[in-house]
Amino acid sequence: MKRYHVTTFGCQMNEHDSERMKGMLESLGYVEAAEREDADLILFNTCSIREAADNRFIAHLGTAKRLKSERPDRVVGVGGCWAQSVKDEVFERFPFVDVAFGPGQVHKLAEFLTSDSLTAQGYFEFEGFAGDLPEKRAREFQGWLQISVGCNMVCSYCIVPSTRGREVSRPLAALVAEVERMAADGVTEVTLLGQNVNAYGRDLPRRGEPAANFAELLSAVDAVDGIERIRYTSPHPQDMKEDVIRAHAELPALCEHVHLPLQSGSSRVLKAMRRTYTRERYLDRVALLREHVPDVALTTDIIVGFPGETEEDFAQTLFVCEQVAYDGAFTFVFSPRRGTEAATLPDQVPHPVKVERMERLVEVIQRRARERAQRFVGRTLEVLVEGPSRTDPTKLRGRSRHNKAVNFTGLAQPGEYVQVEIASATSQTLAGEESLLARAAR
Ligand code: 5AD
Ligand code: SF4
């Protein structure tokens, strides 16, 4: 029996692609190896979003090179966004790699592995969704649903449009059928994935499928029996229309959490980023969300040190963060990416300035998140149990509908929904005790 090992870098899209790779390999008779050293097939699913992602992966490739030289019959494969961004160059730079493929070419891996000659090959076409592949879920009660591939936006800092191609939405009926299958398998929480989820469906009429938009998709998924929670990532503020916002108030399964990438609080910088919204428009979306769902949790992505960002621009980002009071944020130092417009812009911000701004930003984000989180103290929240707590194995860990990590004492099993009385809150996590009253009442 052949054994495989997959290392995944990057976003949830990649995690989902890796689950599909694993499912496909198991259907070919491979079994998963716990350690890379024990594998006959060593795979990397790569990311290229920032330079740090590239470097992390290249360090791992070093061990693959050693393992390959110890046993040359091992197969080394590199998939994902980094592979797509360098294409065949991967074989010149790393001659021990046997197969390389872009995102969406996962199915080609099977073709390669079952072909007679395993001479190095690369697959970098954009084909749209790579079809139904079996998947091996990390947790049986949580599933990903890829609603579209690719991205039609042209954010000037971002490598993704060049690694994942033009946007292609999957037909609504196929998505609903997939969610029904997941629910039948025991999935109760589904996360809709796409580079720009709320642009969903815009390309469908042209491709001969009946038109559908993101709000309609949400309501169709909500109607599937057994689905208790729906999440999605990531929406674009430009397409955050009232129908989607209303869906958060109206659909029982749609969670009270929106990840709404800000990137910058300065309209001038947003324009240079080609984000297609201004600071006012963004704040207006936030106000509308809070009007319909007052308790909504908001999280965001922010880039610090975009070329030309002045102290005044940065102060506006801080201002927006103070005003919105995010429940959490991913903060990134701008990293020039090959082939992107922003990499060639003048006025690149010196590294020490980026670092200093990042420190100030993190202080605001954490302080506001800590303050925001206090609203949960004293409340009883529904928590989906994921397993033992990471820091204290006598405790359990799960997530609230607001996507807050909750550590608590209780008797529950992974996959159960329990009521937790929240006793304290930090910027990142909530802590409490399972309500035994609620358990007894069930
Ligand atoms: N530099 C820094 N951060 C970036 N992101 C995307 N491209 C870059 C880049 N070149 C961030 C954005 C995006 C998140 C996934 O990664 O904030 O929303
Ligand atoms: Fe995901 Fe972007 Fe990284 Fe590709 S480059 S894996 S889309 S985060």
Side-chain angles (χ1 to χ4, degrees):
M1 213 146 20
K2 293 219 160 162
R3 287 186 294 179
Y4 71 87
H5 185 272
V6 183
T7 311
T8 309
F9 302 87
C11 62
Q12 290 161 319
M13 199 79 75
N14 261 21
E15 282 182 38
H16 178 53
D17 285 345
S18 290
E19 288 187 348
R20 285 153 46 89
M21 266 182 223
K22 291 180 183 185
M24 188 183 70
L25 290 170
E26 299 203 356
S27 73
L28 292 177
Y30 282 76
V31 293
E32 187 162 10
E35 305 292 335
R36 194 179 287 155
E37 284 67 20
D38 302 328
D40 305 289
L41 169 62
I42 299 174
L43 285 176
F44 297 93
N45 195 6
T46 61
C47 172
S48 213
I49 195 84
R50 284 169 292 276
E51 202 182 342
D54 287 8
N55 295 342
R56 208 170 308 136
F57 154 65
I58 287 165
H60 278 261
L61 254 190
T63 52
K65 180 180 182 182
R66 175 176 57 78
L67 292 170
K68 175 91 180 176
S69 67
E70 284 168 17
R71 255 191 49 203
D73 63 315
R74 276 192 170 116
V75 173
V76 176
V78 181
C81 289
W82 178 84
Q84 183 70 38
S85 75
V86 301
K87 299 208 177 102
D88 287 312
E89 207 186 297
V90 62
F91 301 114
E92 287 149 36
R93 287 173 60 188
F94 306 102
F96 55 93
V97 170
D98 298 292
V99 58
F101 49 98
Q105 295 271 299
V106 171
H107 55 296
K108 284 286 172 62
L109 175 63
E111 226 169 83
F112 176 81
L113 292 172
T114 52
S115 72
D116 296 332
S117 66
L118 290 183
T119 48
Q121 280 190 48
Y123 304 98
F124 307 108
E125 297 300 307
F126 293 124
E127 283 181 34
F129 188 66
D132 288 321
L133 294 174
E135 58 202 2
K136 186 182 176 188
R137 281 189 201 100
R139 295 197 186 101
E140 68 267 27
F141 49 91
Q142 289 171 325
W144 311 111
L145 178 71
Q146 185 162 5
I147 67 170
S148 58
V149 299
C151 185
N152 287 355
M153 303 306 287
V154 288
C155 302
S156 60
Y157 49 80
C158 188
I159 198 168
V160 175
S162 74
T163 63
R164 291 196 181 248
R166 299 283 295 169
E167 189 172 293
V168 180
S169 300
R170 295 173 64 201
L172 185 87
L175 294 174
V176 172
E178 190 167 327
V179 176
E180 284 168 350
R181 277 198 301 278
M182 282 191 214
D185 284 353
V187 168
T188 62
E189 181 182 270
V190 59
T191 302
L192 279 47
L193 293 179
Q195 298 303 334
N196 182 2
V197 284
N198 47 4
Y200 170 78
R202 224 177 275 156
D203 56 308
L204 284 176
R206 267 186 287 124
R207 293 169 49 239
E209 305 284 349
N213 67 26
F214 186 57
E216 285 160 353
L217 173 64
L218 288 173
S219 120
V221 174
D222 182 77
V224 174
D225 265 353
I227 298 300
E228 305 277 342
R229 287 183 175 185
I230 304 171
R231 303 186 183 283
Y232 59 82
T233 193
S234 288
H236 194 293
Q238 168 198 282
D239 297 308
M240 204 60 190
K241 303 273 158 64
E242 188 157 351
D243 54 356
V244 176
I245 294 178
R246 279 184 183 279
H248 278 275
E250 289 164 9
L251 301 177
L254 187 58
C255 288
E256 294 80 11
H257 168 225
V258 179
H259 181 74
L260 196 61
L262 170 68
Q263 311 302 3
S264 168
S266 151
S267 296
R268 206 183 64 80
V269 172
L270 286 169
K271 189 156 188 211
M273 288 177 163
R274 300 195 188 280
R275 286 293 286 173
T276 68
Y277 54 87
T278 59
R279 171 169 92 140
E280 289 72 26
R281 159 89 187 165
Y282 183 93
L283 288 172
D284 171 64
R285 297 296 91 188
V286 170
L288 198 61
L289 266 161
R290 292 222 161 113
E291 183 187 320
H292 287 280
V293 192
D295 190 36
V296 70
L298 291 175
T299 55
T300 199
D301 291 342
I302 298 171
I303 299 176
V304 168
F306 186 82
E309 181 189 74
T310 62
E311 178 57 31
E312 169 57 24
D313 293 317
F314 177 66
Q316 299 206 359
T317 298
L318 289 182
F319 174 81
V320 172
C321 294
E322 288 283 5
Q323 198 169 347
V324 174
Y326 291 103
D327 291 80
F330 297 110
T331 51
F332 309 104
V333 165
F334 170 73
S335 168
R337 302 286 56 210
R338 57 190 154 267
T340 62
E341 186 189 348
T344 61
L345 289 177
D347 304 326
Q348 297 283 330
V349 176
H351 189 69
V353 177
K354 288 180 180 166
V355 171
E356 188 263 343
R357 286 184 188 163
M358 177 61 97
E359 282 170 9
R360 285 155 65 201
L361 178 63
V362 168
E363 187 279 320
V364 174
I365 291 290
Q366 286 185 350
R367 173 167 45 76
R368 296 299 272 151
R370 196 165 52 241
E371 288 165 6
R372 270 295 279 167
Q374 302 312 312
R375 76 188 188 282
F376 297 122
V377 174
R379 278 167 64 179
T380 302
L381 297 182
E382 178 200 86
V383 172
L384 171 56
V385 183
E386 292 183 344
S389 150
R390 285 185 197 149
T391 47
D392 177 354
T394 66
K395 291 198 170 154
L396 294 167
R397 177 193 160 92
R399 277 186 186 269
S400 73
R401 286 176 59 98
H402 301 85
N403 207 32
K404 277 278 175 192
V406 183
N407 292 308
F408 64 101
T409 47
L411 304 168
Q413 297 297 314
E416 269 190 78
Y417 289 86
V418 296
Q419 299 293 324
V420 176
E421 294 163 5
I422 305 300
S424 65
T426 68
S427 61
Q428 304 268 356
T429 57
L430 306 178
E433 249 178 73
E434 184 183 345
S435 162
L436 296 178
L437 223 64
R439 171 170 285 276
R442 270 194 301 167

